[in-house]
Amino acid sequence: MRSRTPDRLCAEAVEIARQAADEAVGAETVGAHLGVQADAERVVTHTFECLDAAYRGWHWAVTVARAPRAKNVTLDEVVLLPGPDAVLAPQWVPWSERLQPGDMGPGDLLPTDADDLRLEPGWTGEDEPAPNSVAALVADEDVVVSDPDIQPAPARAQIGAIAAELGLGRSRVLSRLGLHLAADRWEKAHGPQTPMAQAAPASCASCGFLIPIGGSLGQAFGACGNEFGPADGQIVSFAYGCGGHSEAAVIPAPPAPSELILDELVVEPLQLHPDRTSGSVEPDAPAEELGHS
């Protein structure tokens, strides 16, 4: 094995390496010489401290080399490399993984991968046999097929009717994983553990504004139809609730004031001011002058 001891002439070429770094990046950003490392036979890398405040913990790496039996050291490259304490940019994450619910706006497109685990193949009718094919004729009782390898196929009309009833016809539908992820999101946003549900008089299961939804998720979720509710038009858990429950207690109306009683049997004398003839009194007149008891 070849020794990884730094080549003597290359290791001594500190000033050559520094001059190359100064010319490449500027002398004001090149600091003290930190060390030397042998990369290969007659190939050595000198490291210098980086004084740029934006690259704290980084260092300049200047690689020099020399040819066999040559005494002249030549420059290979000057690069900026991070050290153990360097401030690095966060790891790059694809945009599809950075996207969060609610980030999409009008005109945005979010393509789904062909192997998206949230989806599974649905029924589109593309795998139906052609009308005049042998597989389609097998379903006809009047046609006899002698080939035992041909299995009877269900009628096209029958398949289409079942698919329409189930709401199919899409190339892909939600898988079990996709259903569970949707249920977890809805439960977190409008579930029994939310502060609104904790203070509600009753759950959505008994609310008249709850609109049922189809599918397996319809056993635990529905849509809110109360325009004054905090979840109007959104999917809510049956265990969710709010103050807009249809059977919530009605706030009692304030009591009506008692009927005014006019006493016409008692006459209270009212003394007027001597300087006034209009019948009015001074605003600051004593209470006894106003006829109050």
Side-chain angles (χ1 to χ4, degrees), residues 105-196:
D108 294 339
L109 298 178
L110 179 60
T112 55
D113 297 333
D115 55 350
D116 195 322
L117 297 179
R118 299 171 300 172
L119 300 171
E120 61 185 12
W123 184 89
T124 60
E126 296 180 356
D127 53 349
E128 291 186 14
N132 297 327
S133 64
V134 177
L137 295 176
V138 171
D140 194 341
E141 298 178 357
D142 298 335
V143 179
V144 179
V145 179
S146 59
D147 191 346
D149 295 334
I150 300 179
Q151 300 296 328
R156 290 168 54 89
Q158 183 179 4
I159 295 178
I162 295 176
E165 182 179 353
L166 296 178
L168 302 179
R170 297 166 290 172
S171 59
R172 289 192 293 177
V173 295
L174 276 176
S175 62
R176 183 173 296 273
L177 173 62
L179 291 173
H180 281 299
L181 292 177
D184 291 341
R185 292 195 306 271
W186 298 345
E187 189 82 12
K188 183 178 180 180
H190 299 98
Q193 303 301 325
T194 58
M196 182 67 68

Side-chain angles (χ1 to χ4, degrees), residues 238-250:
F238 285 173
Y240 181 71
C242 68
H245 194 281
S246 62
E247 309 306 321
V250 179

